[in-house]
Amino acid sequence: MGSIEECDVVVVGAGFGGLYSLYLLRQEGFDVRGLERGTGVGGTWYWNRYPGARCDVESLQYSYSFDPELQQEWEWTERYAGQPEILRYAEHVSDRFDLESLIAFKTNVEAADYDESTSTWTVSTNRDTYRARFLVAATGCLSTTNLPEFEGLANFEGDVYHTGRWPHKTVDFTGQRVAVVGTGSSAVQAIPVLAEQASELTVFQRTPNYSVPARNEPLDPVVQAETKESYDELRQAARVERSGIISIFPPNEDSAKQADNTEFNNRMDERWEHGGFGFYRAYADIGIDPTSNERIAEYVRGQITQVVDDPETARLLAPTNTIACKRPCLDTHYYETFNSQHVHLVDISEGGIEEITRTGLKAAGQDFEFDALVFATGFDAMTGALLNMNITGKDGCTLGDAWSAGPRTYLGLGVPEFPNLFTVTGPGSPSVLTNMIMAIEQHVEWIRDCLVAMRRQDLTTIEATATAADSWVDHVNSIADQTLYPTCNSWYLGANIPGKTRVFMPLIGYPPYAEKCKQVAENNYEGFRLG
Ligand code: NAP
């Protein structure tokens, strides 16, 4: 039985959100503790060590902006940083600002209970217990892995991996027969690298995904130096851009369906050649107009047909659903990989994985034998990590009960019935639909300002009102309903997890959101009850 530690704020998670929370709150003189289940910092980039893991936001923009010296001194080596480099960056930040001394590692939150009589949270872990006025959940949007309950999985005698929980050692697949289940962003990155090692690689695809080339390359030192010279302008421009990312292509205002063929093809070719998410900003109406969307989808299908030699494989790889209503993928030679003789694609859209056997698996009416199974089956996104903490608020109300019809937050920051709990990039905030680090900085700075304002006014509790949360959830949904996002079975909707309530969780539109948060604070935290 561990000890009970008293402090002002407990921050759960030592990824980018947790690290910045610890840094800012300590700076304001709060006694703050970090709890992290891993053995080191980095969050997403600590766990997702699968071959090929790489961020698909460009490295110069997927980084903290809060410290001018930090952003000047850190040297990125590639256009898109790989997982080892991002993890080194997180470790560097932690060392540079001496954050590790605030964090209890290998510490898993088992329960968090709010005590109304003292207005404090008791956070129970597998080690010590913590009692704090405030609880900040910086637990990440994609941190609870989803490993579906495949029949017979325990019987498999080979090695089993999940991309989101990759072992902390080198895994060498040389000479092995490897299966990959899933074709989302993680798989799209892992498959080309696994194919370099495996003797046979078989990909089990339930739904094909659209992927655009990343065109990763070593970062040009001149580009890096120039960016650093005008970093403030770049960051400022990103904050007023929906994606939080500045592309060399300005976002266009025109419609894809109205473009003439030559203009359309030239524009799409240019963006396809350049690579990256700027492809999806070629026309303003990709996300709202089905005809425009289909035209761009057809362009990508045309690229797949050109790249993939075998017509049947190309047909299976070509998605037919709305483009970009699931999170788009960026790749390095994904489609090309299927031209290798030892890489096979199995369509499991009809029957799924039927069974895992001692030596492999059954799917599409066939038996397959493997040495290793790699599950790239994604995450219980946005709510999984929060619900796993077994949080209980006022009157014994559990977060699971409060969210049985889907997550209900105000601004993705506060939850009615759960006073003094803050969710960093929680459901109802733009989070995964914008540059995550930018979104994290905005949230953590808002939380810092809130705690400082409360201290100044001698206040001890803050709680989102039910009315504010209800109208916020309506707002998030009404914006999503104006787009094509709800037309796919995406993890944005919780549709990837059997039984999860289907509701669109992130808010579309970062700049108006940040403005709204600012106004709420200026109006003495309108929509929150202060006590
Ligand atoms: P994902 O996008 O949810 O993809 C999971 C894949 O597994 C899908 O192809 C899914 O098929 C399949 N799958 C799930 N359950 C299955 C089952 N029971 N049987 C067969 N197939 C099943 O997960 P992810 O690839 O890990 O990516 C999640 C998110 O993480 C991304 O969307 C992105 O936001 C983030 N991410 C980012 C990066 C980056 O920055 N580069 C890299 C990786 C991940 P269905 O489509 O049919 O459900």
Side-chain angles (χ1 to χ4, degrees), residues 34 178 181:
V178 179
V181 179

Side-chain angles (χ1 to χ4, degrees), residues 11 19-20 28-29 136 139 149 167 203-204 208 222 243 282 310 314 318 359 379 391 393 423 427-428 435 515:
V11 173
L19 290 178
Y20 191 40
E28 290 299 336
V136 175
T139 41
E149 290 176 6
V203 177
F204 292 88
V222 175
S243 63
D310 174 46
T359 53
F379 301 89
I391 304 178
T423 50
N435 180 343
E515 189 51 38

Side-chain angles (χ1 to χ4, degrees), residues 50 54 56 183-186 189 206-207 326-327 376-378 491:
Y50 60 85
R54 183 175 295 286
D56 47 24
T183 49
S185 297
S186 302
Q189 290 185 333
R206 192 165 68 176
T207 317
K326 282 187 172 185
R327 162 65 153 71
T377 43
W491 59 255

Side-chain angles (χ1 to χ4, degrees), residues 181-230:
V181 179
T183 49
S185 297
S186 302
V188 156
Q189 290 185 333
I191 285 165
V193 184
L194 293 173
E196 288 170 15
Q197 294 181 355
S199 61
E200 296 291 325
L201 184 74
T202 308
V203 177
F204 292 88
Q205 172 185 273
R206 192 165 68 176
T207 317
N209 258 309
Y210 296 94
S211 188
V212 169
R215 311 274 183 220
N216 186 37
E217 58 190 3
L219 189 55
D220 181 344
V222 175
V223 170
Q224 178 143 225
E226 284 173 0
T227 304
K228 287 184 174 181
E229 267 173 36
S230 55

Side-chain angles (χ1 to χ4, degrees), residues 334-346:
Y334 174 62
Y335 294 118
E336 290 86 338
T337 300
F338 290 92
N339 292 335
S340 298
Q341 292 299 310
H342 71 298
V343 177
H344 318 284
L345 181 68
V346 179

